[in-house]
Amino acid sequence: MNQVLRQIRNRKSVRVFENREIPTQVKEEIINAAFEAPTAGAMQLYSILDITDENLKKQLSITCDNQPFIAKAPLVLVFLADYQRWYDSYTYFDCNPRKPGEGDILLACADAIIAAQNTVIAAESLGVGSCYIGDILENCETVRELLDLPDYVLPIAMVVYGYPVESQKNRKKPMRFEKEYIVFENKYYRLTKEEHEKMHSIRNRKEGLSNTDIMEYIKKRCDFKYMSDFALEMNRSAKEYLDKFRS
Amino acid sequence: MNQVLRQIRNRKSVRVFENREIPTQVKEEIINAAFEAPTAGAMQLYSILDITDENLKKQLSITCDNQPFIAKAPLVLVFLADYQRWYDSYTYFDCNPRKPGEGDILLACADAIIAAQNTVIAAESLGVGSCYIGDILENCETVRELLDLPDYVLPIAMVVYGYPVESQKNRKKPMRFEKEYIVFENKYYRLTKEEHEKMHSIRNRKEGLSNTDIMEYIKKRCDFKYMSDFALEMNRSAKEYLDKFRS
């Protein structure tokens, strides 16, 4: 196993940071990695907002489901899926473009996340931990206003970075499902109820939750992750963003 | 600059592969890297299809805007944004779940691409080149049938992998825009016409296209990348996928 693979294996999200700035050069290296990422048609269908204003960080930590650790991160980047830039180029240079549609914005989301993950890997190689904040998709109206977002831009992820405190370095990485439930050959395979039960049981056992009642476990997950206020808000808000991209 | 950063900088997409299999262990390492990626709420909102059937590869090379090199790749993975798995778990265990919505599928798309980019980086570290195929978003009806996709699954990217031929190793990486046009501090900045012109001019000059008329250049890009049949088809098809995720 080479250094890159080892780093990928050992990497886990960090939510408590040392009270220590990220030096300018390190920050540059992290952002540069975004630029080196593959991008559809070399179009760079993303923009990156570098959130340096402490008050803005605080406001985003509130719009993102009230997670105060966000405001304490020394580096906060918002990755925007951006079709505004190319649409504006086409408009300025008299191409009479159509409005961006669903395919355009999904391609831009992919572009933005590919770039984001490159920064996460680059950061890790420099001893800087990170955490994705999907909640940046919530509260469309407030976030649009805070970040001056035009119509053809969608904040697909926020990533916060910083030096991990010791306890974060030592914490266990959450277990994954067994590969047979995630990777299929040639065609999608829809798991049976028994396979669902086994999939969750195996993972829970690996997590040390061996006596968990699966139905109770799934119901709790559903309440907390799927029927909860933040999940409903994310759907409402994401719909607002996507409504601009109707072909 | 450490090895990881150097690798990220040197990586470019590969579209011509040596006629050489990827050994099983190398393939395992590539797929394992997907599992090690950060994932929202440890939910793994993705599935991976390992396309081993040569005929299926050929069919996908056609549905993906007729790109024959796809069929020649020794490893082809389709990354599915997958809310079907958790929705089925919730259903089987009597949670009476709502239907997945726009926020759910965008979160799943991010999850799937984060995993995909980990495989791309892992592959590179093992000498295996790769190329994203966004065109997997096209031809929804055909692709759904070919891959047996249920409603709450969306193919956000395909990645093809293989050992690069010498000419691919030596080709120039496409130039990126200057950072000032992509990275903004705190708020989104919408570029003026003059800034658009400058942004494209600088990049074209770096590409060695110094005498390019910018209006002509942008019009060609618009015709080829935005008003073209494949772009219109991608929008039509992506809308079909997203129509299942309306909250």
Side-chain angles (χ1 to χ4, degrees):
Chain A
M1 183 169 281
N2 64 46
Q3 190 200 325
V4 173
L5 297 177
R6 208 162 29 240
Q7 186 199 297
I8 283 175
R9 194 187 54 183
N10 292 338
R11 189 266 174 203
K12 53 207 168 193
S13 297
V14 171
R15 293 184 184 80
V16 190
F17 305 109
E18 282 185 6
N19 185 12
R20 171 150 75 106
E21 287 305 302
I22 295 177
T24 310
Q25 206 203 321
V26 173
K27 180 172 159 178
E28 289 289 305
E29 298 271 34
I30 291 171
I31 294 177
N32 280 342
F35 282 76
E36 298 295 350
T39 164
M43 292 173 83
Q44 293 182 275
L45 298 171
Y46 57 84
S47 289
I48 300 171
L49 301 186
D50 176 12
I51 310 296
T52 57
D53 181 277
E54 293 302 325
N55 188 41
L56 183 53
K57 272 188 200 175
K58 204 165 288 176
Q59 288 174 287
L60 291 173
S61 78
I62 295 165
T63 68
C64 293
D65 197 37
N66 293 304
Q67 301 184 80
F69 82 94
I70 293 169
K72 292 183 181 162
L75 175 61
V76 175
L77 300 179
V78 178
F79 289 86
L80 303 168
D82 185 354
Y83 232 102
Q84 191 72 53
R85 186 184 300 107
W86 276 95
Y87 181 77
D88 285 351
S89 271
Y90 296 148
T91 305
Y92 280 135
F93 294 99
D94 299 339
C95 300
N96 191 25
R98 59 177 175 77
K99 304 275 183 207
E102 290 87 347
D104 302 315
I105 191 58
L106 286 183
L107 203 62
C109 285
D111 240 39
I113 294 290
I114 294 168
Q117 183 58 10
N118 257 19
T119 67
V120 163
I121 298 209
E124 193 76 10
S125 80
L126 296 159
V128 176
S130 58
C131 185
Y132 277 90
I133 313 289
D135 304 276
I136 191 70
L137 269 168
E138 295 160 30
N139 295 300
C140 170
E141 299 77 5
T142 312
V143 170
R144 263 195 189 138
E145 200 181 315
L146 286 173
L147 305 179
D148 269 359
L149 305 183
D151 284 354
Y152 299 135
V153 153
L154 182 160
I156 185 66
M158 180 156 79
V159 184
V160 300
Y161 311 79
Y163 293 99
V165 297
E166 210 54 33
S167 60
Q168 290 279 301
K169 281 186 206 162
N170 298 331
R171 109 190 143 79
K172 229 177 83 186
K173 184 166 177 166
M175 290 294 156
R176 305 306 197 230
F177 294 123
E178 297 301 289
K179 217 185 289 181
E180 63 194 281
Y181 303 113
I182 307 286
V183 182
F184 309 114
E185 198 168 351
N186 294 315
K187 283 171 189 287
Y188 189 84
Y189 173 72
R190 205 156 158 194
L191 308 170
T192 64
K193 182 177 178 182
E194 290 63 38
E195 287 162 332
H196 275 270
E197 180 152 9
K198 203 168 161 200
M199 172 181 83
H200 291 294
S201 298
I202 295 173
R203 192 173 74 156
N204 285 348
R205 202 179 325 126
K206 288 197 297 179
E207 283 285 10
L209 309 167
S210 30
N211 295 318
T212 313
D213 176 277
I214 290 298
M215 184 176 288
E216 196 186 319
Y217 168 78
I218 297 290
K219 282 192 167 170
K220 265 192 199 155
R221 295 284 303 192
C222 189
D223 282 349
F224 181 63
K225 286 284 177 194
Y226 193 64
M227 303 302 282
S228 51
D229 288 348
F230 82 86
L232 300 178
E233 168 53 25
M234 191 182 288
N235 279 312
R236 185 203 67 78
S237 176
K239 179 179 185 309
E240 286 297 313
Y241 285 115
L242 286 177
D243 273 345
K244 302 292 183 189
F245 298 89
R246 297 256 179 259
S247 54
Chain B
M1 182 171 282
N2 64 45
Q3 190 200 325
V4 173
L5 297 177
R6 210 163 25 242
Q7 186 200 296
I8 283 175
R9 194 187 53 185
N10 292 338
R11 191 266 173 202
K12 53 208 169 192
S13 297
V14 171
R15 292 183 184 81
V16 190
F17 305 109
E18 281 184 6
N19 185 11
R20 170 149 76 105
E21 286 306 303
I22 295 176
T24 309
Q25 207 204 319
V26 173
K27 180 172 158 176
E28 289 290 305
E29 298 270 35
I30 291 171
I31 293 176
N32 279 343
F35 283 76
E36 298 294 351
T39 164
M43 292 173 81
Q44 294 183 273
L45 299 170
Y46 57 83
S47 289
I48 300 171
L49 301 186
D50 177 11
I51 310 297
T52 58
D53 181 275
E54 294 301 327
N55 188 42
L56 183 53
K57 274 188 200 175
K58 205 165 286 176
Q59 288 174 287
L60 291 174
S61 77
I62 295 164
T63 67
C64 292
D65 197 37
N66 293 303
Q67 301 183 80
F69 83 93
I70 294 169
K72 292 182 182 162
L75 176 61
V76 175
L77 300 179
V78 178
F79 290 85
L80 303 168
D82 185 353
Y83 233 102
Q84 190 73 52
R85 185 185 299 107
W86 277 96
Y87 181 77
D88 286 351
S89 271
Y90 296 148
T91 305
Y92 280 135
F93 294 100
D94 299 339
C95 300
N96 191 25
R98 60 176 174 77
K99 304 276 183 207
E102 290 87 346
D104 302 314
I105 191 59
L106 286 183
L107 204 62
C109 284
D111 240 39
I113 294 289
I114 293 168
Q117 183 58 9
N118 256 20
T119 67
V120 162
I121 298 210
E124 193 76 11
S125 81
L126 296 160
V128 176
S130 59
C131 184
Y132 277 90
I133 314 289
D135 304 275
I136 191 70
L137 270 168
E138 295 160 30
N139 296 300
C140 169
E141 299 77 5
T142 312
V143 170
R144 262 195 190 137
E145 201 182 316
L146 287 172
L147 305 179
D148 269 359
L149 305 183
D151 284 354
Y152 299 135
V153 153
L154 181 160
I156 186 65
M158 180 156 79
V159 184
V160 299
Y161 313 77
Y163 293 100
V165 298
E166 210 53 32
S167 60
Q168 291 278 302
K169 280 187 205 161
N170 298 330
R171 112 190 141 80
K172 229 176 85 186
K173 185 165 175 165
M175 290 294 157
R176 305 305 197 231
F177 294 123
E178 298 300 290
K179 217 184 290 180
E180 63 194 281
Y181 303 112
I182 307 287
V183 181
F184 309 114
E185 199 167 349
N186 294 315
K187 284 171 189 286
Y188 189 84
Y189 174 71
R190 205 156 158 195
L191 308 170
T192 63
K193 183 177 177 180
E194 291 63 39
E195 287 163 332
H196 274 269
E197 180 152 9
K198 203 170 161 201
M199 172 181 82
H200 291 292
S201 298
I202 295 172
R203 192 174 73 157
N204 285 348
R205 200 177 328 126
K206 288 197 297 178
E207 283 286 8
L209 309 166
S210 29
N211 295 318
T212 313
D213 176 277
I214 290 297
M215 184 177 287
E216 197 186 318
Y217 168 77
I218 297 290
K219 282 191 168 171
K220 265 192 200 155
R221 295 285 303 192
C222 188
D223 283 350
F224 182 63
K225 287 283 177 193
Y226 194 65
M227 303 303 281
S228 51
D229 288 348
F230 82 85
L232 300 179
E233 167 53 24
M234 192 183 288
N235 279 313
R236 185 203 66 78
S237 176
K239 180 180 184 311
E240 286 297 313
Y241 285 115
L242 286 178
D243 273 345
K244 302 292 183 188
F245 299 90
R246 298 255 179 258
S247 55

